[in-house]
């Protein structure tokens, strides 16, 4: 193939040009996304049962679903959370299970189970699990505000804005949050209806008849046909009040005489405010595969057009735009990539001093990048920050193959045959060097969970680039290298100084090796003891935030939540460093999130506000309040978040698990640096206890009055129902909801319920309390289970160094002793994520080392050479560890990816030196002769220039990504690990490997 290409340079030119054009078009067509596409071996099941307590939900909804799902093939573990009125189950599948087939099998079993579900329970839904760190955030968030009611703003958003934005190409949907719903409320007095012997069903039937519009047939007059339509719809409040309510055979009432009818806005006890002002929120989500930047731009243009036609005073504000950060990071990547290309050009220009050779090397790298973009396009892998990072980091690495080929051409005749022979001769070396880098990427395919979803696209992009670089360098450069006139510049003074230093080290070899061993030990100690293993925002640059949650006991006035949250808002709105404050709430609780401006998260501002909110929360009586900060830690100097640790307690007795959790809380609170111990950390929201009203009917008394249990249930429903039905009517040309509900149902007491009368055939004054025992009892608000065991999670914050927190946490776990049948374990969030899939990166590291050793053995066919290359790895890995120790940065998953790359990159320099040493050691019949110090120095002089050139081109592409980038960010973490390892690997190849390859006995 090389000889064929050398004889047809025009064909190679055309092919290279076509590849560059196709790659450019493919790159422009690649959809840009903020997150990789995710399909993890985990499913989520949810079901609703309105009005049921957590205990009933667990017994009649959660437990049957667990039993049905447990029998599905591929299910490894089931965790459930039963709340009042709902249940949520998390199903963990086997690592290699087919997620879609498992989902279909679960749906089939749940469909068979539906007939056994209690009355009123909804059908369960099954969806894929996506972790928060990989979840696709809403593309855009808008707020709508103005001098109008919340209901008017909500209707404006639903009727005029949502349809227009939903029609924008690439938009998956538009959700409206906040506001109120305008409608008609028909509130009846349950006592008065009972006195008149009128059932709420009679009112409901009347309202349903008021929305009747039915086709009755066709009237034919001559040749004309006219449809006959019955239109009995009420079109005004007066018409609604005049509707007749028929009771029995003779009595007829007006609806307005039996119920109060009024037009009102129903906020459903929900509020939504941005920076202290009432607002309506609009959330725009992106279709999978749609370009985030183009879609966001189209949505903003559509919103600008809509804003001009909105009523006077209505303001539309953009609260968040994911495409802005994506565009900023892409712009930074383009700038840094351009700087990297210029740096590589400068290095090549200084080292080669031949314009055509520089163009050939860079041209081969650009063809490799274009081929990679084309491969990503055909593989339908979207361009996210990780795939682009793989391309950006690969520029200098791709140049290496071109440099090696060009270096070989300098010693070959400038003829087609000479260039073809040079290309064929250098191909095994290029393949071997590329193979040692590429093999470390293959284990990425066997990752599971979050790590697989995040890093596999990166590995695919990097591997594609390496493959194309081999093809472009060994084929294109010899074919187009006619008349290159290549001459590598030799720096004699630097070469003499280097050779002299190697000679001195060989003379004091034992001392030098001992110093290297001591340095490796010191760096290992520093990495283990001083470098934290977690960091906030390392994956996707999340913004620091402070959240506050507030809840009052059930039955409390919802206005109390609103007042309490306004107190919190007054503390944070308008404060320095605060970017946005969003508060929202319902009758169940209220929540506020404070987002800080970039840079403010590394100041005391978040902790000052957290302390002020905590002090204010103490003054709110009878409430459950939680104030938490998530972001870079001020106490730890900005190197990581405040360590939050979690302990999980499991057992088959809920009371026993609860007692153990409370005992652990008391023990934790005795530790001086421990703060914010929460024994309900598993639920994140709500009270541990709830209350329910129970009725135990006396069947003998029911029979005496000719009643059945369903009659008692209907009577109780009419007394306590807050909403006995809902429908929509067209009033004034606009369709509005009409709600029928019992007046004062939310304020009814138990005594009033006991004294309420029950209609009966004998018209006797029978009270509910005469027919049933009405009591209130304490019950559980939420029940968590894992594989049929009850679960309690305890969380706490450790105010101090991260390493000290880890040691304290481990010591505390080891000191825990629980009775038989119970167990405890570490459930900390920072331990590589929810599914612990990040631990698989270390398996990838180990597999990468093994594969590199095999690749080197294949290239050299020598155990001795393979051992020498392997012994150079600790120096390169120590360089990565030292880089994080010196930078004071946390070692994140991105950093682990950089270390894995170092395994493949660092051996390239050592391979060059060991190859030269092996050539001087080989004797007749492939025997290995002792290698003298003089031969080692000669090998070092021969390969030092190439090692330095390869290192400089690699650093030229990596340093622009590392310099000026936060080491806790995506590019910074990978680049820091790779730069540190590359520099140390070069030092090891130039000065440490010569000590190992030389003969140890004189």
């Amino acid at each position: 193939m090389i000889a064929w290409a050398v004889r047809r340079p025009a064909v190679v030119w055309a092919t290279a040009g076509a590849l560059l054009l196709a790659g450019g078009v493919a790159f422009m067509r690649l959809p840009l996304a903020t997150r990789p596409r995710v399909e993890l071996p985990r499913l989520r099941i949810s079901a609703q049962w309105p009005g049921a307590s957590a205990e009933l939900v667990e017994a009649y909804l959660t437990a049957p679903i667990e039993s049905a799902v447990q029998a599905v093939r591929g299910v490894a573990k089931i965790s459930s959370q039963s709340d009042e009125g709902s249940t949520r189950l998390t199903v963990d599948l086997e690592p290699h299970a087919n997620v879609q087939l498992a989902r279909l099998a679960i749906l089939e079993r749940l469909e068979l189970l539906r007939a056994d579900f209690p009355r009123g329970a909804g059908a369960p839904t099954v969806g894929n699990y996506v972790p928060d760190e990989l979840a696709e955030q809403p593309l855009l968030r808008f707020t709508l505000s103005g001098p109008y009611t919340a209901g008017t703003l909500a209707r404006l958003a639903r009727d005029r804005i949502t349809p227009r934005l939903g029609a924008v190409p690439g938009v998956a949907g538009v959700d409206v949050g906040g506001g109120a719903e305008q409608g008609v409320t028909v509130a009846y007095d349950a006592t008065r209806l009972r006195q008149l012997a009128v059932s709420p069903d009679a009112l409901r039937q009347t309202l349903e008849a008021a929305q009747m519009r039915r086709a009755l047939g066709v009237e034919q007059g001559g040749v004309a046909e006219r449809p006959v339509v019955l239109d009995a719809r009420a079109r005004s409040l007066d018409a609604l009040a005049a509707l007749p309510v028929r009771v029995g055979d003779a009595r007829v009432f007006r609806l307005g005489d039996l119920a109060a009818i009024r037009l009102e806005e129903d906020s459903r006890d929900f509020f939504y405010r941005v920076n202290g002002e009432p607002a309506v929120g609009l959330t725009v989500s992106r279709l999978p595969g749609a370009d985030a930047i183009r879609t966001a731009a189209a949505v903003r243009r559509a919103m600008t057009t809509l804003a001009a036609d909105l009523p006077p005073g209505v303001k539309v504000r953009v609260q968040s735009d994911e495409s802005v950060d994506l565009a900023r990071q892409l712009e930074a990547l383009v700038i840094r990539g351009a700087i990297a290309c210029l740096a590589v050009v400068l290095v090549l220009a200084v080292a080669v001093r031949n314009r055509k050779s520089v163009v050939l090397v860079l041209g081969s790298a650009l063809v490799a990048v274009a081929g990679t973009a084309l491969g990503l396009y055909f593989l339908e892998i979207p361009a996210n920050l990780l795939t682009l990072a793989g391309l950006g980091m690969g520029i200098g690495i791709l140049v290496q193959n071109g440099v090696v080929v060009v270096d070989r051409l300098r010693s070959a005749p400038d003829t087609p045959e000479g260039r073809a022979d040079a290309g064929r001769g250098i191909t095994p070396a290029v393949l071997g060097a590329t193979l040692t880098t590429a093999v470390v990427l293959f284990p990425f395919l066997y990752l599971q969970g979050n790590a697989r979803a995040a890093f596999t696209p990166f590995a695919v992009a990097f591997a594609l680039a390496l493959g194309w670089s081999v093809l472009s360098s060994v084929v294109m450069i010899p074919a187009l290298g006619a008349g290159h006139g290549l001459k590598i510049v030799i720096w004699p003074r630097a070469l003499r100084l280097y050779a002299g230093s190697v000679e001195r080290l060989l003379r004091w070899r034992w001392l030098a090796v001992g110093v290297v061993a001591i340095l490796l030990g010191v760096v290992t100690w520093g990495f283990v003891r001083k470098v934290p293993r977690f960091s906030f925002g390392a994956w996707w640059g999340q913004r620091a935030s402070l959240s506050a949650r507030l809840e009052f006991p059930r039955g409390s006035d919802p206005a109390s939540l609103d007042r309490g949250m306004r107190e919190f808002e007054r503390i944070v709105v308008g404060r320095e460093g605060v970017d946005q404050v969003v508060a929202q709430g319902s009758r169940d609780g209220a929540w506020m999130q404070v987002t800080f401006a970039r840079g403010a998260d590394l100041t005391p501002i978040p902790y000052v506000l957290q302390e002020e909110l905590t002090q204010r929360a103490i003054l709110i009586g009878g409430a459950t309040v939680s104030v938490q900060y998530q972001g870079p830690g001020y106490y730890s100097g900005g190197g990581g978040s405040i360590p939050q640790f979690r302990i999980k307690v499991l057992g088959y007795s809920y009371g026993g698990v609860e007692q153990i959790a409370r005992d652990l809380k008391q023990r934790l609170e005795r530790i001086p640096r421990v703060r914010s111990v929460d024994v309900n950390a598993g639920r994140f929201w709500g009270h541990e206890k709830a209350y329910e009203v129970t009725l135990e009917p006396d069947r003998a008394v029911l029979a005496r009055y000719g009643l059945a249990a369903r009659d008692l249930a209907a009577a109780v429903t009419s007394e306590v129902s807050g909403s006995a039905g809902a429908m929509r009517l067209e009033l004034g040309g606009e369709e509005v909801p009409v709600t029928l509900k019992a007046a004062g149902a939310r304020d009814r007491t138990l005594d009033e319920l006991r004294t309420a009368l029950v209609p009966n055939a004998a018209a006797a004054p029978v009270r509910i309390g005469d027919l049933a025992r009405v009591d209130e009892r304490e019950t559980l608000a939420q029940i968590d289970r894992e594989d049929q065991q009850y679960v309690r999670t305890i969380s706490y914050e450790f105010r101090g160094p991260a390493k000290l927190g880890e040691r304290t946490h481990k010591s505390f776990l080891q000191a825990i002793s629980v009775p038989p049948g119970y167990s405890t374990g570490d459930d900390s969030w920072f331990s590589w994520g929810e599914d612990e899939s990040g631990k698989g990166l270390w398996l990838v590291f180990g597999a990468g080392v093994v594969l590199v050793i095999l690749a080197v053995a294949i290239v050299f066919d020598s155990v001795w050479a393979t051992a020498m290359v392997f012994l150079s790895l600790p120096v390169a890995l120590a360089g990565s560890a030292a880089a994080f120790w010196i930078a004071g940065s946390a070692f994140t998953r991105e950093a682990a990816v950089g270390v894995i790359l170092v395994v493949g990159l660092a051996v390239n320099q050592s391979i060059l030196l060991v190859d030269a040493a092996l050539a001087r050691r080989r004797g007749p019949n492939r025997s290995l002769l002792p290698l003298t110090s003089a031969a080692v120095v000669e090998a070092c002089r021969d390969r030092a220039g190439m090692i330095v050139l390869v290192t400089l081109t690699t650093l030229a592409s990596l340093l622009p990504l590392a310099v000026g980038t936060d080491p806790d960010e995506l590019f910074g973490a990978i680049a820091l690990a790779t730069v540190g390892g590359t520099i140390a690997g070069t030092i090891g190849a130039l000065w440490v490997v010569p000590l190992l390859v030389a003969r140890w006995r004189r």
Side-chain angles (χ1 to χ4, degrees), residues 226-239:
R226 290 172 293 184
V228 178
V229 178
L230 172 64
D231 191 347
R233 293 176 295 176
R235 300 182 182 275
S236 65
L237 291 183
D238 292 337

Side-chain angles (χ1 to χ4, degrees), residues 127-300:
N128 288 5
Y129 165 80
V130 179
D132 293 338
E133 58 194 1
L134 295 179
E136 180 77 19
Q137 298 297 316
L139 183 62
L140 284 158
R141 286 190 176 96
F142 297 96
T143 56
L144 201 65
S145 59
Y148 299 92
T149 64
T152 301
L153 292 174
R155 188 171 66 253
L156 190 66
R158 284 193 298 267
D159 296 345
R160 299 181 60 176
I161 298 179
T162 299
R164 177 65 182 87
L165 297 185
V168 174
V171 172
V174 182
D175 296 325
V176 179
E181 187 176 35
Q182 279 192 331
V184 176
T185 299
V186 180
Y188 62 87
D189 185 340
T191 303
R192 188 162 184 268
L193 287 188
R194 187 174 57 252
Q195 293 171 348
L196 296 174
V198 178
S199 170
D201 287 335
L203 277 61
R204 182 186 296 107
Q205 294 171 6
T206 300
L207 290 174
E208 290 175 350
Q211 58 182 343
M212 180 183 295
R213 190 172 189 270
R214 183 180 304 171
L216 301 180
V218 177
E219 179 193 22
Q220 186 166 358
V223 295
E225 290 186 352
R226 290 172 293 184
V228 178
V229 178
L230 172 64
D231 191 347
R233 293 176 295 176
R235 300 182 182 275
S236 65
L237 291 183
D238 292 337
L240 202 61
L243 291 174
V245 180
R246 184 175 298 277
V247 181
D249 296 332
R251 293 187 300 161
V252 178
F253 299 92
R254 294 176 67 253
L255 181 61
D257 297 333
L258 300 176
I261 303 174
R262 56 183 179 272
L263 187 66
E264 63 179 20
E265 289 188 353
D266 185 9
S267 66
R268 302 175 299 280
D269 297 324
F270 180 86
F271 64 85
Y272 181 83
R273 293 189 291 269
V274 177
N275 293 332
E277 297 182 357
V280 172
L282 292 99
T283 301
V284 182
S285 55
R286 180 183 66 92
L287 277 173
D291 188 282
I293 294 179
R294 296 194 187 104
T295 303
V299 171
R300 293 177 77 112

Side-chain angles (χ1 to χ4, degrees), residues 73 329 350 555 763 819:
R73 184 177 181 181
Q329 292 174 333
V350 172

Side-chain angles (χ1 to χ4, degrees), residues 422-481:
R424 284 193 296 267
I426 200 63
T427 296
V430 172
L431 286 173
T434 305
L435 185 62
T436 57
T437 304
V439 291
V440 299
L441 301 174
F442 288 110
F444 278 90
L445 300 176
Y446 296 96
L447 284 172
Q448 298 297 328
N450 303 6
R452 177 185 177 91
F455 295 119
T456 298
F458 171 86
V460 171
F462 208 94
L464 284 173
L466 290 175
W468 276 101
S469 72
V470 173
L471 186 63
S472 63
S473 60
V474 300
V475 175
M476 192 180 84
I477 292 179
L480 305 181

Side-chain angles (χ1 to χ4, degrees), residues 309-323:
D309 298 330
L310 294 177
V314 175
K315 299 178 181 179
V316 179
R317 296 184 179 91
V318 179
Q319 293 301 324
S320 67
D321 187 346
E322 285 285 302
S323 67

